[in-house]
């Protein structure tokens, strides 16, 4: 019920603002006796960390995570795991000019309208800074899932430029600053985003996240469907405006004859001959790859002047300076992976509870 | 946590199988003293009811809803509202041949894999019959929202044929069997679907649901975002494989200069100059129309033979007879409306709780 | 969150009013493949059923339970289990005189104050009739727990007369109309309650519920403690005003030297030398008997005239006729057993989720 | 669902171990724009703080609370309120001898049995140190309730010595080290506890908590009853073994004629002529004082040797040194107040949600 928690049995609660002293999370329900080190978390934090290329924000945050409870002698204890990250590069003064003016595309107006008060320092609670703790929680979720489950994310479209499926190479994802699985497209994106940056503009993106090795049977019909929870998980990420599973929206135009995945017998039992469903049928995992895509809108903070209003009801215009990602979608890939991990870990525990 | 419940403060729990004696729901958290009649519910039930044209299943279900608790002297009491619908046209025998064979695209395999048991009569719990109770709950949600909030759904694409936005006329939606807002396209769909039906095939669809009049401030960052809950709500509907808000996936290719909605002052305060965001910013409603679209895959039950396996691990083929919707998306529109109503009602109560 | 649901993974939602057409419940989260018959439920329903002696209400309710979903071919399916009981002996007219007058000790005033409306027919939702569905849900919970767990309840005090621990004989409980484990005391209670009944008065009671065979490890610190959930479960039963675990309130006066249960090694591992803690330490079951007691206040509906007010703010007096239990505590024993079963089943699933 | 959270709309999640670096909590759902300072919290923290007399543990903890999120410019923002307290006086070495031995009356055995791992430093998560964060959350809850609601706790029994109701003076509670409302009894307790301490023993206690000014209508039948939630809240406090509301267990022996509180008209509407029910009828507050009592068992850590076993299955004996409260009940009074505040705040928001 609480708005700042996610999941049921593997339950993540995050707190903290973009320019507050610290951000943190509590992960409750973690199974005991799982070996866990700060380094296990840090590995994933570093993949999301800002400032790793000229295509992401230059805010200098080391994102050092501290585990302050729930671990004893190197293993989880079953008690809530609390993690804290210090906000090092705080510059609240940078935001003085937006203290009273609503930035288009941001949550400034809606937070003010809802709460009548707003921490305007870098967006406060509505900032994507919060997603750092999702990645921390996701790192724990991966531990719960174990080595048999691999969760990987890739950026598959930036602006109007989508990757070719034929050129897909997972190894490329860590080789370019875009998490692009298509080497040729990565180069094209570089040129495209340099142009975007120089124009003071921004670009949207589509991210694909795949989980391999997830067991069959995860998901709880009819409202706790695996894909329903994945949809909520991805849509809750900042700037996300759409989510699809498997072939997604393309299935509208697909004829019935080819839309459903046929089955045959494999060496280990029933297997599917295709995966248009994205690994989920009736809300339950099929044992195939679980495949989700989501769209991230262009970063709203751009150098172009846009019309807006202020708190006092005056019409005005704004041009948002500061340190922003020209394509926030790039850093959303590790966040999408983390949310996938959290959803799967939660459903793993839920499945174990009901079905043993 | 329970898989068969939806919402937090306006909480819906459904039960029942496609060919069981009855289906029903319990709606908890309903504010007291709301006038409520069976007829209020029935109006919306009838819009989803099967057998209304040759394009939907011919199962003969009157879908008469009985309110059996939570109402006294014509008004809600604050106690849980229980509603029951009898399954009249039960024909479990029709399904004997699928008792042991997994229909491609259906939940047969995953239910069996998860639970080790499966009510195969018409899909049992995984059948879209369950959505009748969503519509009943949605009718109550509309009462909670009041007359100021109008929720309307339309089918905007069937197969590869999408409506033109210019030809949009809400009045047309009730004038054709497709809930199509575009008169010319409705005719085209008729011809298209006749062909689909004759071929024993099926078609997918995209549905758009709009809520007008929803107040600003609904939605609870960061995991209880209005659009996160809408995404889960729509994705939980049978056969749905994707959800988008506002411009959705199209925002990937939109430049930053035009992606964010600008603001100006209107007569009643700040207003937006466009609605690409679909009425949600930072997970909180803006006061504009809340706009959601979702895709429904083609009906999996088709007359074409498809490869599959049975419970005993034999490869086989199946051709699904019975009474099916050639385009299940048509009847999904009222269900999408109902889910929108439930999400908004829940968030209305949640907002009132926290912000008074 | 919803007020009419109980439990998390084994989740019970009840609905219905005392003189409405039906009462029912939905039990979600039930593990699949458990053999389940109406007779399994009915056995426990009959133990709570009214009219079994002159010491309980004479309302003639057969309490026939129908399972309408979640079961297929004699086994649970993992889908929500819905059960319905018809209210046969409805006499709403009996309650005309309390339609506008608040009965002391009842929820009439508070329901009206909270909701501004009230189903006054026999107390509506606030009636102990609701507990019938707790017993139905508890019967399912017993199936989840399996034969290794035995849950038994006994009345240990009626009015000022408490049983002697030395005379305790579980076999006696089913031999007298009071569920009294002490044969001599049962006779004394008979005489005492005849007097109470003749005076038009009523008596309170204390019930003890014991679960034997519950595994060690159930309970989830620090807010999901087994005893915290048991306390809520018992306190939620109509007319209950206190709950204690193990030695309970007597521990205030116990010296530290004897208050804690010592341990030694038994044949199967560590064992406790006493059970003052009632089978719970730190909120987690020890493997010993889980022991809970709760007090039921005297039935508020008595034939004596009491001062009160009506809805219009007039002072008045009332004498409550109708068919009431002179000691509602007697019928609370099976309800307490049911709540114990539900709590243990929920925690069994929760424990399995986190700890495998 | 998560075991370390409490409440639904006013939702408290705590984390941290007795001898970890920090303990903390997240309070989600706090209404916005409430003025809030560290000093507001500290005032209540100081009342629970250890080492304030020779009758409580001598551990030197300043319990300085830091608010690290959810507040901006001195007011709550609606974002989650995170609070952190540093553990200053950590002495994990003191506990080396209990690393492998189960202390009778403690959670050592059950944590080990459940989780297979245990932070044995001062009890880890099972330590009453956790209650510091309950008091912090309770301080916020008081702010939500406003000045109209006064919540006060008193110790009413220590060992076998109970206060006289006639001698009750709330002003005395802050004048003696026992939170005793009866001056004469406070002196007697001093002598009694000196003896207990010298004998190396410990004593139990009963605490009474009263909330005055709580509005009528709080509580959500039938499982979300105000008293059911209070029972869970109090029972979740360390060492509590029983809870009662109003007259509680004494109602078993009360005749029906006097058990129910009569009503008459007062200046502001209906009023009750007594308060045996403890301010709750049918699970809903009556507008009278809400009265709860709970029993705290004698501190389990005593200097006397007790029989026990170790992790390796050897029988042994233990004598627990360290810095312990001879009567942990004394410090439980502020914790009980805090839990009362949290329950009322949660129900205030829940009531506002459903009933406006």
């Amino acid at each position: 019920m609480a708005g700042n928690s996610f999941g049921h049995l593997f339950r993540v609660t995050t707190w903290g603002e973009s320019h507050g002293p610290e951000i943190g999370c509590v992960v409750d329900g973690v199974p005991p006796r799982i070996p866990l080190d700060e380094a296990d978390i840090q590995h994933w934090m570093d993949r999301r960390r800002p400032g790793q290329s000229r295509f992401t924000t230059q805010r200098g945050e080391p994102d050092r995570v501290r585990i302050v409870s729930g671990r004893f002698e190197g293993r989880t204890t079953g008690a809530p795991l609390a993690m804290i990250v210090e906000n090092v590069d705080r510059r609240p003064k940078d935001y003085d000019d937006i203290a009273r003016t609503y930035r288009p595309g941001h949550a400034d107006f809606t937070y003010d309208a809802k709460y009548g008060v707003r921490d305007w320092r870098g967006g406060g609670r509505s900032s994507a800074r919060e997603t750092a703790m999702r990645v921390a929680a996701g790192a724990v979720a991966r531990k719960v899932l174990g080595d048999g489950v691999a969760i990987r994310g890739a950026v598959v479209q930036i602006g109007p430029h989508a990757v070719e499926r034929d050129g897909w190479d997972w190894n490329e994802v860590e080789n370019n600053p875009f998490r692009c699985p298509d080497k040729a497209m990565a180069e094209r994106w570089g040129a495209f985003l340099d142009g975007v940056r120089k124009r003071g503009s921004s670009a949207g993106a589509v991210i694909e996240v795949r989980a391999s090795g997830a067991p069959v049977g995860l998901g709880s019909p009819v409202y706790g469907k695996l894909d329903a929870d994945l949809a909520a998980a991805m849509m809750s990420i900042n700037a996300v405006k759409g989510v699809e599973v498997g072939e997604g929206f393309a299935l509208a135009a697909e004829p019935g004859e080819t839309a459903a995945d046929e089955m045959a017998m494999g060496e280990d039992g029933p297997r599917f001959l295709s995966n248009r469903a994205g690994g989920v049928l009736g809300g339950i995992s099929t044992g195939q790859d679980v495949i989700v895509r989501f769209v991230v809108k262009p970063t709203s903070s751009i150098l172009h002047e846009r019309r807006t209003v202020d708190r006092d009801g005056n019409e005005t215009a704004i041009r948002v300076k500061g340190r922003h990602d020209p394509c926030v979608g790039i850093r959303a890939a590790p966040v999408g992976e983390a949310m996938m991990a959290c959803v799967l870990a939660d459903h793993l525990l839920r499945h174990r509870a009901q079905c043993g």
Side-chain angles (χ1 to χ4, degrees), chain A:
Chain A
M1 173 62 248
N4 295 281
S5 294
F6 182 79
H8 294 271
L9 294 183
F10 182 88
R11 185 160 177 89
V12 179
T13 301
T14 70
W15 54 266
E17 284 89 18
S18 185
H19 289 261
E22 293 153 324
I23 56 175
C25 70
V26 185
V27 187
D28 203 358
V30 180
R33 302 188 308 279
I34 298 179
L36 185 73
D37 251 329
E38 264 88 355
D40 296 320
I41 315 286
Q42 203 63 47
H43 170 73
W44 303 105
M45 298 295 281
D46 289 347
R47 294 174 74 243
R48 177 204 157 277
R49 200 150 53 79
Q52 307 198 53
S53 81
R54 69 181 181 278
F55 304 108
T56 57
T57 172
Q58 296 306 305
R59 180 168 170 174
E61 289 293 350
D63 280 355
R64 281 286 138 208
V65 69
R66 281 195 306 134
I67 301 175
V68 291
S69 78
R71 187 191 48 174
F72 184 63
E73 299 182 337
R75 295 187 301 164
T76 59
T77 62
L81 206 62
M83 296 184 278
I84 298 180
V85 166
E86 194 185 346
N87 283 331
V88 170
D89 190 7
R90 288 184 275 160
R91 305 191 194 170
K93 295 284 178 231
D94 283 13
Y95 298 91
D96 273 0
D97 51 342
I98 61 159
R100 305 195 63 77
T101 307
Y102 301 133
R103 295 168 298 168
H106 279 278
D108 301 344
F109 168 70
T110 51
Y111 267 65
D112 234 9
K114 182 180 185 74
Y115 298 117
V117 59
R118 170 167 67 94
D119 180 346
W120 43 260
R121 303 165 304 171
R125 183 70 185 150
S126 73
S127 163
R129 179 114 193 88
E130 185 267 347
T131 61
M133 298 323 298
R134 301 184 185 219
V135 173
V140 179
R142 289 180 196 258
K143 287 275 181 179
V144 172
L145 292 167
D147 292 339
V149 180
I151 297 169
R152 294 181 292 190
V155 180
V156 297
Q157 182 178 339
I158 288 185
H161 308 294
V163 301
E164 293 294 327
R165 293 277 147 174
D166 294 344
W168 193 291
D169 178 357
W170 277 112
N171 295 322
E172 281 302 316
V173 166
E174 307 284 333
N175 286 341
N176 62 68
F178 310 109
R179 306 208 161 278
C180 181
D182 172 345
K183 192 175 181 172
M185 184 53 75
E187 283 169 34
R188 194 159 160 198
W189 287 352
F192 171 73
L193 279 181
D194 276 334
V196 164
R197 216 159 40 90
K198 279 169 196 156
R199 279 201 315 278
S201 181
S202 63
V206 177
I207 286 88
E208 181 167 316
V209 179
R210 280 178 180 253
S212 306
V216 64
L218 304 189
S220 177
V222 297
Y223 297 104
K225 282 175 172 156
L226 183 64
D227 39 358
D229 282 354
L230 285 169
M234 301 307 168
M235 196 69 99
S236 79
I237 300 171
N238 306 53
V240 171
K241 301 301 285 186
V243 184
E244 58 183 9
V245 176
E247 298 283 303
F249 277 91
L251 283 165
E254 188 87 16
E257 290 91 325
T258 50
D261 303 306
E262 292 182 299
M263 301 184 78
M265 288 305 294
E267 286 178 23
D268 309 320
R271 67 186 180 88
F272 290 87
L273 303 178
S274 56
N275 189 6
R276 287 197 176 83
V280 187
L281 280 177
I284 302 173
S285 65
T286 62
Q288 297 170 278
D289 279 10
V290 178
I291 307 171
V292 173
R293 267 182 309 284
F294 58 90
V295 60
V296 179
K297 68 180 183 182
T299 315
S300 296
S301 297
I302 55 173
L303 285 169
H304 287 254
E305 192 170 276
R306 311 286 330 265
R307 296 179 58 185
T308 190
V309 300
D310 66 18
R311 290 200 76 178
D312 304 314
N314 303 308
E315 297 197 341
T316 179
I318 193 165
R319 196 190 291 267
V320 183
K321 285 154 292 186
R323 303 159 295 169
H324 301 289
D325 301 79
C327 176
V328 77
I330 298 169
R331 287 174 58 218
V335 181
E337 293 174 10
M339 295 311 287
M340 170 73 88
C342 289
V343 170
L344 291 178
D346 190 35
H347 276 283
L348 187 73
L349 303 187
R350 288 162 76 169
H351 179 63
R352 189 157 76 182
Q354 188 176 15
C355 298

